[in-house]
Amino acid sequence: MNVRKQAMTLTLNDELVEVLVKPYETLLDTLRETLGLTGPKEGCGTGDCGACTVHLDGKAVASCLVLALQARNRQVRTIEGLGTDDTLHPLQDAFVRHGVPQCGFCIPGVLMAAAALLAETPRPSDEEIRYGIAGNLCRCTGYTKMVTAIAEAAAAVPQGAR
Amino acid sequence: MILPGSVKECVQALAEHGAAAKLVAGGTDLLPQLKNHLLKPGVVVDLSGVATLKKLTADKGLRIGAAVTARELERDGRLATGAYRGLAESGALVGSVQVRHLATVGGNICNAAPSADMIPPLLALDAEAVIAGPRGERRVPLRDFITGVRTTVLGADELLVELSVPDPGPHSGGAYLRHTPRRELDIAVVGVGSQVTLANGVCTKARIALAAVAPTPVHARAAERALEGQALTPQRIEEAAKLAVEAARPISDQRGSVEFRRHLVRVLTRRTLTTALARANGGQA
Protein backbone atom coordinates (compact mmCIF):
# COMPACT_ATOMS: atom_id res chain seq x y z
CA MET A 1 0.00 0.00 0.00
CA ASN A 2 1.06 3.53 -0.74
CA VAL A 3 1.94 5.15 2.60
CA ARG A 4 2.74 8.63 1.31
CA LYS A 5 0.91 11.13 3.51
CA GLN A 6 -1.74 13.41 2.07
CA ALA A 7 -2.59 16.91 3.29
CA MET A 8 -6.16 17.83 4.09
CA THR A 9 -8.12 20.49 5.89
CA LEU A 10 -11.12 20.08 8.13
CA THR A 11 -13.03 22.26 10.54
CA LEU A 12 -12.35 20.78 13.95
CA ASN A 13 -14.29 22.17 16.89
CA ASP A 14 -14.96 25.38 14.92
CA GLU A 15 -11.30 25.88 13.91
CA LEU A 16 -9.86 25.32 10.46
CA VAL A 17 -7.11 22.70 10.78
CA GLU A 18 -4.62 21.43 8.20
CA VAL A 19 -3.21 18.00 8.84
CA LEU A 20 -1.11 15.31 7.11
CA VAL A 21 -2.69 11.87 7.14
CA LYS A 22 -1.77 8.42 5.93
CA PRO A 23 -4.12 7.12 3.21
CA TYR A 24 -5.69 4.39 5.34
CA GLU A 25 -5.61 6.07 8.72
CA THR A 26 -8.92 6.43 10.54
CA LEU A 27 -10.33 9.77 11.62
CA LEU A 28 -10.11 8.49 15.21
CA ASP A 29 -6.35 7.90 14.87
CA THR A 30 -5.83 11.33 13.34
CA LEU A 31 -7.75 12.99 16.16
CA ARG A 32 -5.95 11.10 18.91
CA GLU A 33 -2.44 10.54 17.59
CA THR A 34 -1.81 13.58 15.38
CA LEU A 35 -4.11 16.26 16.75
CA GLY A 36 -3.86 15.25 20.43
CA LEU A 37 -7.59 15.09 21.09
CA THR A 38 -7.87 12.03 23.31
CA GLY A 39 -11.53 12.49 24.25
CA PRO A 40 -12.75 10.09 21.56
CA LYS A 41 -11.70 6.58 22.63
CA GLU A 42 -10.98 3.40 20.75
CA GLY A 43 -13.00 0.60 22.32
CA CYS A 44 -13.69 -2.03 19.68
CA GLY A 45 -12.40 -0.38 16.50
CA THR A 46 -15.25 -1.93 14.52
CA GLY A 47 -18.17 0.46 15.14
CA ASP A 48 -19.87 -1.63 17.80
CA CYS A 49 -19.14 0.24 21.06
CA GLY A 50 -19.63 3.95 20.33
CA ALA A 51 -16.65 5.11 22.45
CA CYS A 52 -15.19 6.90 19.40
CA THR A 53 -18.40 8.85 18.59
CA VAL A 54 -17.81 12.31 17.11
CA HIS A 55 -19.99 14.60 15.00
CA LEU A 56 -19.32 14.69 11.26
CA ASP A 57 -21.28 17.56 9.72
CA GLY A 58 -23.41 17.52 12.86
CA LYS A 59 -24.22 13.82 12.77
CA ALA A 60 -23.01 11.22 15.26
CA VAL A 61 -20.64 8.77 13.60
CA ALA A 62 -18.20 6.08 14.71
CA SER A 63 -14.87 7.79 13.95
CA CYS A 64 -13.10 4.41 13.95
CA LEU A 65 -15.00 3.56 10.73
CA VAL A 66 -14.25 6.84 8.94
CA LEU A 67 -11.09 7.19 6.92
CA ALA A 68 -9.47 10.49 7.85
CA LEU A 69 -9.47 11.64 4.24
CA GLN A 70 -13.25 11.17 4.11
CA ALA A 71 -13.48 14.05 6.61
CA ARG A 72 -11.68 16.41 4.23
CA ASN A 73 -13.35 19.84 4.05
CA ARG A 74 -16.00 18.75 6.54
CA GLN A 75 -17.04 19.78 10.06
CA VAL A 76 -15.85 17.57 12.90
CA ARG A 77 -16.78 18.07 16.53
CA THR A 78 -15.32 16.07 19.40
CA ILE A 79 -16.10 16.10 23.11
CA GLU A 80 -13.37 18.75 23.44
CA GLY A 81 -15.59 21.11 21.43
CA LEU A 82 -18.92 20.33 23.08
CA GLY A 83 -18.69 22.88 25.89
CA THR A 84 -16.12 25.62 26.44
CA ASP A 85 -13.34 25.93 29.03
CA ASP A 86 -15.65 28.16 31.07
CA THR A 87 -19.06 26.66 30.47
CA LEU A 88 -20.08 23.03 30.35
CA HIS A 89 -22.64 21.92 27.79
CA PRO A 90 -25.98 21.31 29.58
CA LEU A 91 -25.49 17.57 29.00
CA GLN A 92 -22.05 17.63 30.62
CA ASP A 93 -23.46 19.64 33.50
CA ALA A 94 -26.27 17.12 34.01
CA PHE A 95 -23.81 14.20 33.80
CA VAL A 96 -21.65 15.77 36.51
CA ARG A 97 -24.58 16.55 38.81
CA HIS A 98 -26.03 13.05 38.45
CA GLY A 99 -22.65 11.38 38.88
CA VAL A 100 -23.08 9.50 35.61
CA PRO A 101 -19.43 8.62 34.88
CA GLN A 102 -18.13 5.55 36.63
CA CYS A 103 -14.92 4.43 34.92
CA GLY A 104 -15.59 7.20 32.35
CA PHE A 105 -14.28 5.49 29.23
CA CYS A 106 -17.62 5.53 27.37
CA ILE A 107 -18.72 8.99 28.50
CA PRO A 108 -17.27 11.17 25.69
CA GLY A 109 -19.02 8.95 23.15
CA VAL A 110 -22.27 8.90 25.09
CA LEU A 111 -22.25 12.70 25.42
CA MET A 112 -21.64 13.16 21.68
CA ALA A 113 -24.43 10.70 20.83
CA ALA A 114 -26.76 12.46 23.26
CA ALA A 115 -25.85 15.92 21.91
CA ALA A 116 -26.60 14.78 18.35
CA LEU A 117 -29.89 13.31 19.54
CA LEU A 118 -30.96 16.57 21.21
CA ALA A 119 -29.96 18.59 18.13
CA GLU A 120 -32.30 16.43 16.06
CA THR A 121 -34.99 15.73 18.69
CA PRO A 122 -34.94 18.49 21.31
CA ARG A 123 -37.57 16.82 23.54
CA PRO A 124 -36.92 13.08 23.23
CA SER A 125 -39.05 10.47 24.96
CA ASP A 126 -37.30 7.99 27.27
CA GLU A 127 -37.50 5.45 24.44
CA GLU A 128 -35.91 7.89 21.99
CA ILE A 129 -33.14 8.56 24.50
CA ARG A 130 -32.51 4.84 24.90
CA TYR A 131 -32.32 4.32 21.13
CA GLY A 132 -30.22 7.49 20.80
CA ILE A 133 -27.51 5.96 22.98
CA ALA A 134 -28.13 2.33 21.98
CA GLY A 135 -24.91 2.40 19.97
CA ASN A 136 -22.88 3.22 23.08
CA LEU A 137 -21.77 0.42 25.37
CA CYS A 138 -21.11 1.21 29.04
CA ARG A 139 -19.38 -1.76 30.65
CA CYS A 140 -20.04 -0.26 34.08
CA THR A 141 -23.72 -0.56 33.00
CA GLY A 142 -24.57 2.94 34.22
CA TYR A 143 -27.39 3.51 31.75
CA THR A 144 -30.17 4.53 34.13
CA LYS A 145 -28.41 7.67 35.29
CA MET A 146 -27.49 8.51 31.69
CA VAL A 147 -31.13 8.45 30.62
CA THR A 148 -32.14 10.58 33.62
CA ALA A 149 -29.39 13.13 32.97
CA ILE A 150 -30.11 13.37 29.22
CA ALA A 151 -33.85 13.87 29.89
CA GLU A 152 -33.06 16.60 32.41
CA ALA A 153 -30.63 18.36 30.06
CA ALA A 154 -33.21 18.21 27.26
CA ALA A 155 -35.81 19.84 29.49
CA ALA A 156 -33.31 22.57 30.47
CA VAL A 157 -32.34 23.60 26.92
CA PRO A 158 -34.73 26.20 25.46
CA GLN A 159 -36.57 24.98 22.33
CA GLY A 160 -34.59 25.63 19.17
CA ALA A 161 -31.22 26.08 20.92
CA ARG A 162 -28.33 23.61 20.91
CA MET B 1 -6.24 6.66 -1.86
CA ILE B 2 -8.05 8.08 -4.85
CA LEU B 3 -10.64 10.80 -4.28
CA PRO B 4 -12.86 11.02 -7.38
CA GLY B 5 -15.47 13.76 -7.74
CA SER B 6 -17.71 12.04 -10.28
CA VAL B 7 -18.87 8.61 -11.41
CA LYS B 8 -16.79 9.08 -14.57
CA GLU B 9 -13.64 9.57 -12.48
CA CYS B 10 -14.53 6.47 -10.43
CA VAL B 11 -14.82 4.41 -13.61
CA GLN B 12 -11.46 5.79 -14.80
CA ALA B 13 -9.82 4.86 -11.49
CA LEU B 14 -11.25 1.35 -11.69
CA ALA B 15 -10.09 1.01 -15.30
CA GLU B 16 -6.58 1.98 -14.23
CA HIS B 17 -6.29 -0.18 -11.11
CA GLY B 18 -8.71 -3.04 -11.84
CA ALA B 19 -9.01 -5.73 -9.19
CA ALA B 20 -6.37 -4.02 -7.02
CA ALA B 21 -8.85 -1.21 -6.31
CA LYS B 22 -11.45 -1.35 -3.57
CA LEU B 23 -14.32 1.12 -3.34
CA VAL B 24 -15.22 2.69 0.00
CA ALA B 25 -18.50 4.52 0.63
CA GLY B 26 -19.58 4.44 4.29
CA GLY B 27 -16.71 2.16 5.24
CA THR B 28 -18.68 0.25 7.87
CA ASP B 29 -17.96 -3.10 6.21
CA LEU B 30 -14.65 -2.21 4.58
CA LEU B 31 -12.85 -0.73 7.60
CA PRO B 32 -13.18 -3.79 9.85
CA GLN B 33 -11.95 -5.93 6.91
CA LEU B 34 -8.96 -3.63 6.37
CA LYS B 35 -8.14 -3.62 10.09
CA ASN B 36 -8.31 -7.41 10.30
CA HIS B 37 -6.12 -7.68 7.18
CA LEU B 38 -8.85 -9.70 5.45
CA LEU B 39 -8.45 -7.29 2.58
CA LYS B 40 -5.25 -5.84 1.19
CA PRO B 41 -6.25 -3.53 -1.65
CA GLY B 42 -3.59 -1.85 -3.75
CA VAL B 43 -5.61 1.32 -3.68
CA VAL B 44 -8.85 2.53 -2.09
CA VAL B 45 -11.25 4.67 -4.13
CA ASP B 46 -13.32 6.93 -1.88
CA LEU B 47 -16.88 7.59 -3.06
CA SER B 48 -17.70 10.20 -0.39
CA GLY B 49 -16.95 13.08 -2.76
CA VAL B 50 -19.34 11.91 -5.52
CA ALA B 51 -22.50 13.97 -4.97
CA THR B 52 -24.69 12.18 -7.53
CA LEU B 53 -24.39 8.92 -5.57
CA LYS B 54 -26.04 10.56 -2.54
CA LYS B 55 -29.27 11.63 -4.25
CA LEU B 56 -32.66 10.13 -3.46
CA THR B 57 -35.45 11.17 -5.81
CA ALA B 58 -39.10 10.12 -5.54
CA ASP B 59 -41.09 10.71 -8.71
CA LYS B 60 -43.15 7.80 -10.11
CA GLY B 61 -40.95 5.34 -8.28
CA LEU B 62 -37.63 5.88 -6.54
CA ARG B 63 -34.08 6.51 -7.64
CA ILE B 64 -31.78 5.78 -4.74
CA GLY B 65 -28.14 6.74 -5.13
CA ALA B 66 -25.83 3.93 -4.05
CA ALA B 67 -24.30 6.15 -1.34
CA VAL B 68 -27.62 7.10 0.30
CA THR B 69 -27.24 6.13 3.95
CA ALA B 70 -29.34 3.78 6.07
CA ARG B 71 -30.16 6.76 8.27
CA GLU B 72 -31.54 8.69 5.29
CA LEU B 73 -33.87 5.80 4.42
CA GLU B 74 -34.92 5.67 8.08
CA ARG B 75 -35.77 9.37 8.29
CA ASP B 76 -36.88 10.42 4.79
CA GLY B 77 -40.52 11.55 4.97
CA ARG B 78 -41.20 10.24 1.46
CA LEU B 79 -40.54 6.68 2.66
CA ALA B 80 -42.49 7.01 5.92
CA THR B 81 -45.82 5.56 4.76
CA GLY B 82 -47.36 2.97 2.45
CA ALA B 83 -45.33 1.43 -0.33
CA TYR B 84 -41.84 2.42 0.82
CA ARG B 85 -42.26 1.97 4.56
CA GLY B 86 -40.55 -1.44 4.52
CA LEU B 87 -37.45 0.16 3.05
CA ALA B 88 -37.43 2.79 5.81
CA GLU B 89 -37.86 0.04 8.40
CA SER B 90 -34.88 -1.88 7.06
CA GLY B 91 -32.68 1.23 7.18
CA ALA B 92 -33.70 1.84 10.79
CA LEU B 93 -32.50 -1.63 11.80
CA VAL B 94 -28.93 -1.38 10.50
CA GLY B 95 -26.21 -1.14 13.16
CA SER B 96 -26.54 1.80 15.56
CA VAL B 97 -27.21 5.46 14.79
CA GLN B 98 -23.43 6.04 14.54
CA VAL B 99 -23.25 3.27 11.92
CA ARG B 100 -26.47 4.26 10.09
CA HIS B 101 -25.07 7.74 9.43
CA LEU B 102 -22.23 6.07 7.50
CA ALA B 103 -23.56 2.78 6.09
CA THR B 104 -24.93 3.02 2.55
CA VAL B 105 -27.56 1.13 0.57
CA GLY B 106 -25.07 0.38 -2.17
CA GLY B 107 -22.53 -0.90 0.34
CA ASN B 108 -25.09 -3.21 1.92
CA ILE B 109 -25.95 -4.64 -1.51
CA CYS B 110 -22.38 -4.95 -2.85
CA ASN B 111 -21.16 -6.49 0.40
CA ALA B 112 -23.84 -9.11 -0.39
CA ALA B 113 -24.14 -10.70 3.02
CA PRO B 114 -27.03 -13.22 3.16
CA SER B 115 -28.38 -11.29 6.18
CA ALA B 116 -28.25 -7.77 4.63
CA ASP B 117 -31.27 -5.86 5.93
CA MET B 118 -31.76 -3.35 3.12
CA ILE B 119 -31.92 -5.96 0.35
CA PRO B 120 -35.27 -7.73 1.01
CA PRO B 121 -37.42 -4.56 0.82
CA LEU B 122 -35.69 -3.55 -2.41
CA LEU B 123 -36.20 -7.04 -3.86
CA ALA B 124 -39.87 -6.84 -2.82
CA LEU B 125 -40.09 -3.52 -4.69
CA ASP B 126 -38.62 -5.11 -7.88
CA ALA B 127 -35.63 -2.77 -7.75
CA GLU B 128 -33.11 -2.66 -10.55
CA ALA B 129 -29.39 -2.09 -10.06
CA VAL B 130 -27.86 0.61 -12.24
CA ILE B 131 -24.21 -0.18 -12.91
CA ALA B 132 -21.56 2.12 -14.40
CA GLY B 133 -18.53 0.77 -16.23
CA PRO B 134 -16.12 1.52 -19.03
CA ARG B 135 -18.72 0.57 -21.66
CA GLY B 136 -21.36 2.85 -20.16
CA GLU B 137 -24.34 2.01 -18.02
CA ARG B 138 -26.15 -1.31 -17.67
CA ARG B 139 -29.16 -2.32 -15.63
CA VAL B 140 -29.59 -5.64 -13.81
CA PRO B 141 -32.63 -6.71 -11.78
CA LEU B 142 -31.56 -6.75 -8.13
CA ARG B 143 -32.66 -10.41 -7.86
CA ASP B 144 -29.94 -11.28 -10.41
CA PHE B 145 -27.31 -8.92 -8.95
CA ILE B 146 -26.21 -11.07 -6.03
CA THR B 147 -24.70 -14.36 -7.17
CA GLY B 148 -23.60 -15.93 -3.89
CA VAL B 149 -22.29 -15.24 -0.39
CA ARG B 150 -20.50 -11.89 -0.78
CA THR B 151 -20.37 -12.13 -4.59
CA THR B 152 -22.17 -10.04 -7.21
CA VAL B 153 -22.31 -9.57 -10.99
CA LEU B 154 -20.11 -6.47 -10.71
CA GLY B 155 -16.97 -6.62 -12.79
CA ALA B 156 -13.69 -5.32 -11.35
CA ASP B 157 -14.09 -2.24 -13.56
CA GLU B 158 -17.69 -1.49 -12.56
CA LEU B 159 -19.55 0.18 -9.71
CA LEU B 160 -23.14 0.23 -8.52
CA VAL B 161 -24.46 3.78 -8.89
CA GLU B 162 -28.20 3.60 -8.26
CA LEU B 163 -31.18 1.48 -7.27
CA SER B 164 -34.15 2.15 -9.45
CA VAL B 165 -37.56 1.26 -8.00
CA PRO B 166 -40.55 1.21 -10.38
CA ASP B 167 -43.74 3.00 -9.33
CA PRO B 168 -45.55 0.48 -7.10
CA GLY B 169 -48.94 2.12 -7.80
CA PRO B 170 -51.42 3.86 -5.52
CA HIS B 171 -52.53 0.97 -3.31
CA SER B 172 -49.25 -0.65 -2.40
CA GLY B 173 -47.84 -1.38 1.02
CA GLY B 174 -44.55 -2.75 2.24
CA ALA B 175 -43.08 -3.97 5.52
CA TYR B 176 -39.76 -5.39 6.76
CA LEU B 177 -39.19 -7.34 9.95
CA ARG B 178 -36.25 -9.30 11.20
CA HIS B 179 -35.59 -11.39 14.24
CA THR B 180 -32.53 -10.61 16.38
CA PRO B 181 -31.77 -11.42 20.01
CA ARG B 182 -31.16 -7.70 20.63
CA ARG B 183 -32.68 -4.72 18.81
CA GLU B 184 -29.55 -2.71 17.94
CA LEU B 185 -26.16 -3.69 16.54
CA ASP B 186 -27.21 -7.21 15.69
CA ILE B 187 -27.44 -9.35 12.57
CA ALA B 188 -30.70 -10.86 11.30
CA VAL B 189 -31.37 -14.48 12.23
CA VAL B 190 -34.10 -14.17 9.58
CA GLY B 191 -35.36 -11.09 7.75
CA VAL B 192 -38.53 -10.83 5.67
CA GLY B 193 -39.63 -8.01 3.37
CA SER B 194 -43.15 -8.13 1.95
CA GLN B 195 -44.90 -5.94 -0.59
CA VAL B 196 -48.53 -6.14 -1.78
CA THR B 197 -50.39 -4.09 -4.37
CA LEU B 198 -54.19 -4.05 -4.45
CA ALA B 199 -56.89 -3.20 -6.98
CA ASN B 200 -60.62 -3.56 -6.25
CA GLY B 201 -59.96 -5.54 -3.09
CA VAL B 202 -57.80 -8.09 -4.88
CA CYS B 203 -54.02 -8.51 -4.66
CA THR B 204 -52.57 -7.74 -8.11
CA LYS B 205 -48.95 -8.17 -7.10
CA ALA B 206 -47.26 -9.80 -4.12
CA ARG B 207 -43.56 -9.97 -3.33
CA ILE B 208 -41.93 -11.73 -0.41
CA ALA B 209 -38.14 -11.61 -0.01
CA LEU B 210 -36.24 -13.56 2.63
CA ALA B 211 -32.84 -12.80 4.17
CA ALA B 212 -30.41 -15.03 6.08
CA VAL B 213 -32.04 -18.29 4.99
CA ALA B 214 -29.98 -19.01 1.84
CA PRO B 215 -26.59 -18.04 0.35
CA THR B 216 -28.34 -15.01 -1.20
CA PRO B 217 -31.55 -13.17 -0.37
CA VAL B 218 -34.39 -15.07 -2.13
CA HIS B 219 -37.96 -14.52 -3.32
CA ALA B 220 -40.64 -16.86 -1.97
CA ARG B 221 -42.19 -17.36 -5.40
CA ALA B 222 -44.79 -20.01 -4.57
CA ALA B 223 -46.09 -17.84 -1.75
CA GLU B 224 -46.22 -14.79 -4.04
CA ARG B 225 -48.20 -16.72 -6.68
CA ALA B 226 -50.63 -18.02 -4.06
CA LEU B 227 -51.58 -14.45 -3.15
CA GLU B 228 -51.85 -12.84 -6.58
CA GLY B 229 -55.41 -12.58 -7.91
CA GLN B 230 -56.82 -13.27 -4.45
CA ALA B 231 -58.45 -11.27 -1.69
CA LEU B 232 -55.93 -11.23 1.15
CA THR B 233 -57.80 -12.90 3.98
CA PRO B 234 -55.97 -13.99 7.14
CA GLN B 235 -56.30 -17.60 5.96
CA ARG B 236 -54.64 -16.86 2.59
CA ILE B 237 -51.86 -14.96 4.34
CA GLU B 238 -51.28 -17.92 6.66
CA GLU B 239 -51.16 -20.29 3.67
CA ALA B 240 -48.65 -18.02 1.94
CA ALA B 241 -46.54 -17.90 5.11
CA LYS B 242 -46.39 -21.70 5.09
CA LEU B 243 -45.45 -21.73 1.40
CA ALA B 244 -42.69 -19.15 2.03
CA VAL B 245 -40.91 -21.66 4.25
CA GLU B 246 -40.31 -23.82 1.17
CA ALA B 247 -38.15 -21.10 -0.39
CA ALA B 248 -35.86 -21.08 2.64
CA ARG B 249 -32.70 -23.21 2.63
CA PRO B 250 -31.26 -22.13 5.96
CA ILE B 251 -28.19 -23.35 7.77
CA SER B 252 -27.79 -23.95 11.49
CA ASP B 253 -25.26 -21.67 13.14
CA GLN B 254 -24.70 -19.84 16.43
CA ARG B 255 -27.58 -17.48 15.63
CA GLY B 256 -30.24 -20.10 14.99
CA SER B 257 -31.01 -23.65 13.92
CA VAL B 258 -32.57 -24.71 10.62
CA GLU B 259 -35.85 -25.46 12.40
CA PHE B 260 -35.91 -22.10 14.21
CA ARG B 261 -35.17 -20.20 11.00
CA ARG B 262 -37.94 -22.02 9.12
CA HIS B 263 -40.33 -21.18 11.96
CA LEU B 264 -39.26 -17.53 11.81
CA VAL B 265 -39.84 -17.36 8.04
CA ARG B 266 -43.45 -18.41 8.59
CA VAL B 267 -44.06 -16.01 11.48
CA LEU B 268 -42.34 -13.00 9.91
CA THR B 269 -43.95 -13.60 6.51
CA ARG B 270 -47.40 -13.62 8.11
CA ARG B 271 -46.65 -10.47 10.11
CA THR B 272 -45.10 -8.51 7.24
CA LEU B 273 -47.90 -9.47 4.83
CA THR B 274 -50.52 -8.43 7.37
CA THR B 275 -48.80 -5.08 7.94
CA ALA B 276 -48.14 -4.54 4.22
CA LEU B 277 -51.84 -5.17 3.51
CA ALA B 278 -52.91 -2.61 6.13
CA ARG B 279 -50.50 -0.08 4.62
CA ALA B 280 -51.73 -0.78 1.09
CA ASN B 281 -55.21 0.03 2.41
CA GLY B 282 -53.93 3.37 3.69
CA GLY B 283 -53.44 2.32 7.30
CA GLN B 284 -50.60 3.75 9.37
CA ALA B 285 -49.77 0.37 10.94
Side-chain angles (χ1 to χ4, degrees):
Chain A
M1 257 191 233
N2 182 358
V3 291
R4 196 166 43 115
K5 287 190 177 180
Q6 286 174 257
M8 68 165 203
T9 55
L10 73 161
T11 305
L12 178 59
N13 297 330
D14 303 317
E15 279 182 38
L16 198 63
V17 173
E18 192 171 356
V19 63
L20 281 174
V21 299
K22 284 181 275 187
Y24 306 109
E25 164 177 332
T26 64
L27 176 60
L28 176 63
D29 282 343
T30 308
L31 292 170
R32 288 182 58 86
E33 307 301 331
T34 309
L35 297 167
L37 298 181
T38 55
K41 304 283 187 276
E42 179 159 53
C44 63
T46 52
D48 296 310
C49 78
C52 66
T53 303
V54 303
H55 296 177
L56 185 58
D57 293 336
K59 296 186 170 84
V61 299
S63 63
C64 74
L65 295 181
V66 179
L67 290 167
L69 279 167
Q70 292 183 302
R72 65 191 184 278
N73 305 325
R74 296 172 76 179
Q75 304 267 344
V76 175
R77 186 174 300 281
T78 68
I79 186 70
E80 287 86 349
L82 189 63
T84 65
D85 286 349
D86 304 322
T87 316
L88 293 177
H89 185 280
L91 279 164
Q92 292 171 309
D93 184 59
F95 270 50
V96 170
R97 280 185 293 101
H98 284 272
V100 176
Q102 294 182 50
C103 88
F105 189 86
C106 72
I107 296 297
V110 174
L111 282 166
M112 295 312 283
L117 169 71
L118 296 193
E120 212 167 61
T121 311
R123 294 281 187 274
S125 65
D126 267 13
E127 193 188 4
E128 286 171 322
I129 293 174
R130 286 171 191 279
Y131 280 129
I133 59 168
N136 297 80
L137 298 184
C138 169
R139 291 299 77 188
C140 309
T141 71
Y143 297 109
T144 303
K145 283 184 176 180
M146 282 180 201
V147 174
T148 308
I150 293 167
E152 192 184 286
V157 177
Q159 288 280 11
R162 262 311 271 277
Chain B
M1 190 151 155
I2 299 174
L3 311 173
S6 68
V7 170
K8 197 178 161 195
E9 288 173 21
C10 293
V11 172
Q12 283 167 355
L14 291 175
E16 191 180 330
H17 297 278
K22 191 76 192 170
L23 298 167
V24 60
T28 58
D29 282 315
L30 187 77
L31 269 279
Q33 290 177 41
L34 284 178
K35 290 180 187 194
N36 292 326
H37 305 288
L38 297 172
L39 212 62
K40 291 192 170 86
V43 65
V44 171
V45 181
D46 172 38
L47 302 177
S48 69
V50 186
T52 51
L53 297 178
K54 299 179 186 176
K55 271 207 240 165
L56 198 169
T57 50
D59 177 27
K60 298 190 182 81
L62 295 176
R63 296 178 62 188
I64 307 167
V68 167
T69 65
R71 183 69 165 167
E72 285 162 341
L73 296 186
E74 176 186 358
R75 293 183 62 86
D76 194 305
R78 295 168 295 181
L79 311 184
T81 55
Y84 304 131
R85 179 80 179 274
L87 190 53
E89 287 173 327
S90 72
L93 287 169
V94 172
S96 63
V97 65
Q98 289 95 328
V99 170
R100 291 197 289 280
H101 278 140
L102 299 170
T104 66
V105 180
N108 202 221
I109 292 168
C110 293
N111 196 51
S115 57
D117 284 312
M118 290 185 275
I119 296 176
L122 285 168
L123 280 175
L125 284 162
D126 287 335
E128 228 177 19
V130 182
I131 298 168
R135 291 162 302 281
E137 217 170 73
R138 66 181 177 120
R139 300 168 84 92
V140 175
L142 185 58
R143 64 179 169 275
D144 299 328
F145 184 86
I146 296 162
T147 53
V149 178
R150 296 186 177 275
T151 60
T152 70
V153 299
L154 279 183
D157 54 359
E158 292 181 314
L159 77 151
L160 176 65
V161 291
E162 185 181 295
L163 286 311
S164 172
V165 174
D167 186 355
H171 302 291
S172 184
Y176 178 73
L177 285 175
R178 69 172 189 188
H179 176 78
T180 47
R182 60 197 291 263
R183 157 66 169 74
E184 292 261 319
L185 283 164
D186 209 341
I187 294 168
V189 181
V190 169
V192 179
S194 290
Q195 194 78 27
V196 298
T197 304
L198 308 174
N200 304 317
V202 167
C203 174
T204 53
K205 188 172 175 182
R207 293 287 183 270
I208 301 160
L210 316 176
V213 293
T216 67
V218 287
H219 276 285
R221 296 209 183 281
E224 293 169 356
R225 279 196 294 269
L227 295 171
E228 288 175 348
Q230 307 289 329
L232 299 185
T233 61
Q235 291 75 18
R236 288 227 167 76
I237 286 175
E238 182 59 44
E239 282 162 27
K242 280 183 205 163
L243 285 171
V245 178
E246 291 168 22
R249 289 174 285 132
I251 56 167
S252 287
D253 63 11
Q254 75 278 11
R255 286 203 285 278
S257 65
V258 166
E259 295 73 22
F260 184 45
R261 283 194 159 102
R262 289 169 61 89
H263 170 72
L264 286 172
V265 168
R266 181 173 159 185
V267 172
L268 297 180
T269 301
R270 184 181 66 226
R271 288 184 190 166
T272 50
L273 281 172
T274 305
T275 304
L277 173 63
R279 289 175 183 166
N281 280 319
Q284 296 299 306

